[in-house]
Amino acid sequence: MKKIATRVVVSLMCALTTVEALPAQSVENPKIGFSLEAVKGERWQTDLDSFQAHAQQLGVKTVWSDAKGDDDLQFRQVTEMIKAGIAVLVLLPHDTARASRMVDAAKAAHVKVISYDRLVLNSDVDLYISFDPVEIGRMQAQYLVNLAPKGNYVLIEGSPSDANARVLHDAQMRILQQYVDQGNIKVIADQYSKDWKPEEAYLHMLDALNSSRGDIAAVLASSDGLAGGAIQALQEHKLEGKVPVSGQDADLSAIVHILEGSQSMTVYKSIANEAARAVDEAVRLMKGEEIREDRMAYNGKKNVPAIMLKGVAVTKDNVRTTVIKDGFQKLDIINAALPKNERLTN
């Protein structure tokens, strides 16, 4: 865990100078720009590492920036990338509505734009690459319903500035609604969490526990970070492991929680595959070749060619055959975080 934290800190320090140090771009030596809303926690660091590694394998130069969750900073960083002459911008927006100005700036400079993981709304993006949020939302809700078909549900959603959070919520409710209509499930709390912050999830969970006097059947948390915040609140009320909790991202902490029994499931997404596809399609755009979309996604302005990847539900029963087998999480690191009597054998 110390190595992971150190790597994140080093990358964040590098991000402070990444954009400013960009050299002038030449036509013979095109670069791909990768603008991340914030390189924080395990998820986005993995995306960045995978993106850079695949680009290096292909011999493609990249530059990147960390906006630290600041929309105006991200806009300035993207503007600097464009001035430096990037050929393609891969954009992970902080606010999917406000990010359209970055797309406008890129298109004015004839720079192609790939909307990464989150779809920029009302914009002229060339391609959208993500994991299917509708499928993930349904997967999370259905898993919990199978465990707890009756009782009080708490929904803890992602950031209100992220359009994907709303898509996840709507997909989850499409599964839950029939149980709500039948009177079997009651949604007693349904809250969004600014910037997907675990501390917000913790507070939402505390409110729900207090208002229901601990009568909770399931917690539908949209991400592992949010699940972690909810689990902390459940632990303080001596309900950890007694209430099913969902998640998403297959973070190390979530895998440990699942093996310990405090989290029921997460959704594993092959981030290395997502990042590699972004690099591959950016190269095609640079070469003027046709992109390989599999559907269209409407963003309020146009139908955007989209590549929607599939997630996999991970539980205690298939940790080995999913995240460990793929090398997404390492067995020795998982075991180091577990009590000796709960460690997985080789």
Side-chain angles (χ1 to χ4, degrees):
M1 289 298 288
K2 290 182 179 179
K3 291 182 179 180
I4 293 174
T6 301
R7 184 178 63 181
V8 172
V9 171
V10 171
S11 296
L12 287 173
M13 291 174 66
C14 293
L16 294 176
T17 58
T18 299
V19 174
E20 289 78 359
L22 292 177
Q25 177 71 32
S26 67
V27 176
E28 295 77 17
N29 190 28
K31 289 186 177 70
I32 302 170
F34 191 12
S35 171
L36 295 101
E37 63 104 359
V39 184
K40 59 183 178 182
E42 186 177 341
R43 170 63 211 271
W44 300 132
Q45 183 64 49
T46 303
D47 287 79
L48 176 59
D49 292 346
S50 300
F51 186 92
Q52 292 179 310
H54 190 65
Q56 186 174 14
Q57 289 176 352
L58 297 182
V60 178
K61 294 185 179 297
T62 63
V63 292
W64 65 278
S65 61
D66 173 8
K68 306 183 186 304
D70 186 323
D71 294 299
D72 292 330
L73 175 58
Q74 187 168 31
F75 178 69
R76 292 195 298 271
Q77 290 174 336
V78 166
T79 300
E80 290 301 314
M81 282 186 179
I82 295 168
K83 288 179 180 178
I86 57 170
V88 178
L89 171 65
V90 179
L91 177 60
L92 169 61
H94 173 254
D95 187 315
T96 52
R98 297 185 65 188
S100 59
R101 57 180 174 163
M102 288 178 268
V103 178
D104 291 342
K107 302 299 282 189
H110 306 291
V111 173
K112 301 291 187 180
V113 182
I114 295 176
S115 193
Y116 185 83
D117 206 75
R118 299 171 180 169
L119 181 58
V120 181
L121 302 178
N122 299 303
S123 64
D124 187 26
V125 294
D126 296 280
L127 178 65
Y128 171 42
I129 297 177
S130 185
F131 288 87
D132 189 343
V134 173
E135 180 189 42
I136 291 170
R138 289 173 177 168
M139 196 183 303
Q140 292 169 325
Q142 190 61 60
Y143 191 88
L144 291 184
V145 165
N146 290 343
L147 289 177
K150 294 183 179 181
N152 293 331
Y153 268 57
V154 175
L155 273 60
I156 303 178
E157 305 296 338
S159 179
S161 65
D162 181 355
N164 272 5
R166 294 189 291 275
V167 174
L168 277 168
H169 172 269
D170 292 347
Q172 293 160 359
M173 284 306 303
R174 279 195 285 272
I175 296 297
L176 297 181
Q177 195 61 54
Q178 60 178 315
Y179 297 89
V180 172
D181 293 342
Q182 293 165 0
N184 292 323
I185 286 176
K186 182 179 181 181
V187 177
I188 63 168
D190 187 353
Q191 299 289 328
Y192 285 86
S193 309
K194 182 180 179 181
D195 292 336
W196 297 81
K197 291 180 178 179
E199 53 267 36
E200 293 240 333
Y202 168 74
L203 294 175
H204 295 330
M205 193 70 239
L206 281 182
D207 288 343
L209 286 164
N210 291 331
S211 65
S212 68
R213 297 183 179 180
D215 183 14
I216 308 292
V219 178
L220 210 172
S222 285
S223 75
D224 289 337
L226 299 178
I231 289 168
Q232 182 182 346
L234 289 169
Q235 183 181 37
E236 293 174 3
H237 281 70
K238 303 186 185 305
L239 291 172
E240 180 184 13
K242 299 178 181 179
V243 178
V245 180
S246 67
Q248 175 188 191
D249 290 331
D251 286 349
L252 175 61
S253 60
I255 299 303
V256 172
H257 282 149
I258 287 171
L259 292 172
E260 289 177 335
S262 56
Q263 185 170 330
S264 304
M265 64 87 73
T266 185
V267 179
Y268 164 49
K269 302 178 294 188
S270 178
I271 295 169
N273 186 29
E274 181 184 18
R277 288 297 298 272
V279 174
D280 290 342
E281 297 305 325
V283 170
R284 290 191 180 92
L285 286 170
M286 285 194 295
K287 293 180 178 180
E289 298 175 354
E290 290 187 3
I291 52 180
R292 301 179 180 180
E293 77 275 12
D294 53 43
R295 69 183 71 178
M296 305 298 283
Y298 186 64
N299 72 348
K301 180 175 182 177
K302 61 179 281 190
N303 283 316
V304 179
I307 295 171
M308 292 284 99
L309 306 173
K310 302 297 182 182
V312 177
V314 175
T315 67
K316 194 171 186 177
D317 295 332
N318 69 346
V319 166
R320 283 185 175 278
T321 58
T322 53
V323 294
I324 294 176
K325 180 181 178 181
D326 287 0
F328 187 75
Q329 299 293 355
K330 304 297 184 182
L331 179 61
D332 58 341
I333 297 177
I334 293 171
N335 278 337
L338 288 168
K340 288 185 177 180
N341 62 330
E342 295 180 8
R343 291 176 181 173
L344 299 173
T345 57
N346 291 321

